[in-house]
Amino acid sequence: MSTEEKFWKRNCEKQKLNTAESVVGRALFDIENNSSEFKRILKDVYIDSVKEIDVTLKGKKIRTVYLVYIPFVCYKIYKKNSKLIISELEKAVKQ
């Protein structure tokens, strides 16, 4: 399984991933392959798309935020495990 296979529509349409989608897709792929617990949870979770947004904080620090779109079909699975998935994605993307 590759990074592109974690994206919902990309499997059929063979569209190229942008940089934000590559980063989040690679992190999700690595998390799924490194832990047996997450392998069970993430096998049916897919991403529709990812947008990268730069947010300016009070001290003029620019922070990059990834907005991840989940298909409705995967929402029920994602909702059950959202805290685990989000915390692991944050750790993986920061590295």
Side-chain angles (χ1 to χ4, degrees), residues 3-4 16 21 25-26 31 38-39 42 51 58 62:
T3 304
E4 291 86 14
K16 199 171 184 183
E21 291 172 339
R26 170 56 59 193
I31 292 167
F38 283 108
K39 188 169 225 150
L42 294 176
K51 289 187 180 178
K58 292 181 183 178
I62 296 177

Side-chain angles (χ1 to χ4, degrees), residues 52-55 62-66:
E52 186 175 356
I53 301 171
D54 292 328
V55 178
I62 296 177
R63 183 175 181 181
T64 302
V65 177
Y66 294 106

Side-chain angles (χ1 to χ4, degrees), residues 5-62:
E5 292 178 9
K6 291 308 291 179
F7 286 86
W8 187 255
K9 294 181 182 177
R10 307 298 161 100
N11 291 338
C12 301
E13 299 171 4
K14 298 296 181 194
Q15 295 175 353
K16 199 171 184 183
L17 300 178
N18 62 31
T19 56
E21 291 172 339
S22 297
V23 168
V24 174
R26 170 56 59 193
L28 197 62
F29 180 72
D30 291 342
I31 292 167
E32 184 177 358
N33 288 329
N34 292 336
S35 171
S36 60
E37 176 189 359
F38 283 108
K39 188 169 225 150
R40 182 183 49 80
I41 293 170
L42 294 176
K43 73 175 185 170
D44 295 325
V45 173
Y46 294 94
I47 298 172
D48 192 28
S49 64
V50 178
K51 289 187 180 178
E52 186 175 356
I53 301 171
D54 292 328
V55 178
T56 306
L57 302 174
K58 292 181 183 178
K60 295 184 180 180
K61 294 180 183 176
I62 296 177

Side-chain angles (χ1 to χ4, degrees), residues 69-93:
Y69 293 94
I70 306 290
F72 184 73
V73 178
C74 303
Y75 182 70
K76 189 174 182 180
I77 298 165
Y78 176 77
K79 188 175 178 182
K80 284 183 196 176
N81 304 299
S82 63
K83 290 182 182 179
L84 287 171
I85 295 170
I86 290 171
S87 66
E88 289 298 317
L89 268 176
E90 286 176 345
K91 290 177 195 174
V93 170

